[in-house]
Amino acid sequence: MYAPHPSPFGSAPAGLGTLDARARDIFRRIVETYLETGEPVGSRTISRGGLALSPASIRNTMQDLTMAGLLASPHTSSGRVPTHAGLRLFVDGLLEVGDIGQDERREIDARLAGKGRNFEEALDAATNLLSGLAGGAGIVASPVRDAGVKHVEFVALGHDQALAVLVGDDGTIENRLMPLLAGVTPSTLTEASNFLNARLKGRPLAEARTEMSAELDAARRELNVAAARLVEDGLAAWSGGGERDRALIVRGRANLLQDAQAVEDLERVRVLFDDLEQKEQLIGLLDGVGAAQGVRIFIGAETRLFSLSGSAVIAAPYMTGRQRMLGAIGVIGPARLNYARVIPLVDYTARVLGRILDGQET
């Protein structure tokens, strides 16, 4: 589900191996309390938690952890909060990740397995779902699909509307609603479908579409006006996976404001909102998740994009049945996300989304 990743902070922060049992226990308690409350944690809070040490002894250990780069004091005479390096150490070495409950599994399965849902609807539903369950902003990038075209077809839905269906060799299905010219007959739909199948089958759409743009004038001589219009509209409607055509879906920004109480918290959220507008950088971040086996976590300065806002990203790739990465989905929020809860939610949602988009049963 989640495998630790090498720390990008260099050798400055202490590792778990350098902490004795007391320091490790106090560090774990501080981080868990901070993730629960969002407030700096003092020595008296730790001592009241059942630790058989005096507040003075706890303070001494907290000072050592601060010197080691794992804790920080945000204000004079306040308690301590974990640094981003401390959060990374906790997540990789001390966090106990369980599994999601049956109720959440059923909710994810039911909301993503809607019959007739097209590619974009499935991505949007998954992002909304994660946002609601995890309490951050859900984010997903539509994948670059380089598989060849298996079949294309235009299906009439009425006298003025058709469904343009593209099936890829990898099993992905992309549907688009299109307006129809007056007087289009079933034979016209078949003619346009046959024309495209003859030229697209077995070829990546992005590649074929570029070449066919120069052929459309000649194609008009082979097709009637209505069929030629269908061919043009179909080529324009299907994304084909080109970089500029990829969608970035972000849902649940309002969740990020719920815990923003202090002025500095609101400023971090404002910076994060600006970060979420950086489509290309976000897609690049999500594309990099495919190199991990399972869930990938980025905390604060580990990504240049979120270094100023101090945010965390928990993301996982969604795969085809043949383990080819389609894309990645995740949650963005403050660095004090509930990692133990969000990690399994992201992991399970990504696996279900992969099965849905791969045309498999959930």
Side-chain angles (χ1 to χ4, degrees), residues 319-330:
M319 307 277 197
T320 67
R322 296 185 293 275
Q323 294 303 296
R324 184 178 71 84
M325 179 180 172
L326 289 171
I329 187 169

Side-chain angles (χ1 to χ4, degrees), residues 21-106:
R22 172 192 291 185
R24 188 177 302 192
D25 187 27
I26 291 175
F27 175 67
R28 178 184 58 79
R29 289 169 183 258
I30 290 172
V31 177
E32 289 177 346
T33 302
Y34 170 75
L35 293 179
E36 181 180 349
T37 66
E39 299 292 333
V41 182
S43 57
R44 293 190 180 278
T45 299
I46 299 301
S47 65
R48 287 196 296 266
L51 192 61
L53 291 172
S54 68
S57 296
I58 295 173
R59 279 195 297 273
N60 289 336
T61 300
M62 291 171 68
Q63 182 62 30
D64 292 339
L65 292 169
T66 302
M67 295 295 293
L70 300 177
L71 299 180
S73 178
H75 304 290
T76 304
S77 301
S78 72
R80 298 293 193 273
V81 299
T83 62
H84 290 166
L87 284 172
R88 167 58 65 189
L89 183 67
F90 172 81
V91 167
D92 285 350
L94 296 174
L95 180 66
E96 296 182 2
V97 179
D99 202 353
I100 62 175
Q102 288 300 317
D103 289 344
E104 288 175 327
R105 284 176 180 267
R106 283 192 289 267

Side-chain angles (χ1 to χ4, degrees), residues 106-121:
R106 283 192 289 267
E107 180 178 359
I108 293 171
D109 291 343
R111 290 179 60 180
L112 293 190
K115 295 181 180 179
R117 173 171 286 134
N118 65 26
F119 194 81
E120 284 73 19
E121 286 176 341

Side-chain angles (χ1 to χ4, degrees), residues 184-185 187-188 191 219-230:
V184 170
T185 64
S187 63
T188 301
E191 182 181 4
R220 294 180 198 281
R221 293 192 292 270
E222 299 180 40
L223 301 168
N224 66 42
V225 173
R229 175 66 178 273
L230 280 172

Side-chain angles (χ1 to χ4, degrees), residues 90-317:
F90 172 81
V91 167
D92 285 350
L94 296 174
L95 180 66
E96 296 182 2
V97 179
D99 202 353
I100 62 175
Q102 288 300 317
D103 289 344
E104 288 175 327
R105 284 176 180 267
R106 283 192 289 267
E107 180 178 359
I108 293 171
D109 291 343
R111 290 179 60 180
L112 293 190
K115 295 181 180 179
R117 173 171 286 134
N118 65 26
F119 194 81
E120 284 73 19
E121 286 176 341
L123 294 178
D124 190 67
T127 313
N128 266 316
L129 177 64
L130 262 188
S131 170
L133 291 175
I139 183 169
V140 67
S142 63
V144 172
R145 284 167 287 158
D146 55 4
V149 174
K150 183 177 181 181
H151 180 72
V152 297
E153 186 172 358
F154 297 100
V155 181
L157 298 180
H159 69 281
D160 60 352
Q161 195 174 56
L163 186 67
V165 183
L166 182 147
V167 181
D169 285 337
D170 59 355
T172 56
I173 300 175
E174 188 172 340
N175 301 321
R176 290 289 189 277
L177 288 174
M178 296 171 45
L180 285 180
L181 294 175
V184 170
T185 64
S187 63
T188 301
L189 297 173
T190 301
E191 182 181 4
S193 300
N194 290 342
F195 179 87
L196 283 173
N197 276 308
R199 288 158 177 78
L200 298 181
K201 191 170 183 179
R203 304 172 64 191
L205 178 61
E207 169 194 313
R209 184 170 55 187
T210 300
E211 295 179 8
M212 284 188 63
S213 62
E215 302 176 10
L216 285 178
D217 286 339
R220 294 180 198 281
R221 293 192 292 270
E222 299 180 40
L223 301 168
N224 66 42
V225 173
R229 175 66 178 273
L230 280 172
V231 168
E232 286 187 87
D233 290 349
L235 288 172
W238 293 311
S239 73
E243 286 290 346
R244 289 179 300 176
D245 297 317
R246 297 178 69 191
L248 178 73
I249 301 173
V250 182
R251 296 289 182 266
R253 285 180 173 87
N255 291 335
L256 302 173
L257 291 168
Q258 290 181 357
D259 295 327
Q261 299 173 351
V263 173
E264 56 267 29
D265 290 336
L266 290 172
E267 176 60 20
R268 279 193 291 269
V269 171
R270 186 195 66 76
V271 173
L272 176 55
F273 278 12
D274 290 340
D275 293 339
L276 292 176
E277 298 302 318
Q278 306 301 311
K279 175 183 174 181
E280 291 185 4
Q281 292 186 57
L282 278 169
I283 289 177
L285 176 68
L286 291 174
D287 284 350
V289 170
Q293 296 297 316
V295 179
R296 185 80 183 271
I297 298 172
F298 305 92
I299 302 174
E302 293 179 12
T303 63
R304 184 169 58 182
L305 180 61
F306 296 115
S307 59
L308 293 179
S309 65
S311 304
V313 181
I314 301 175

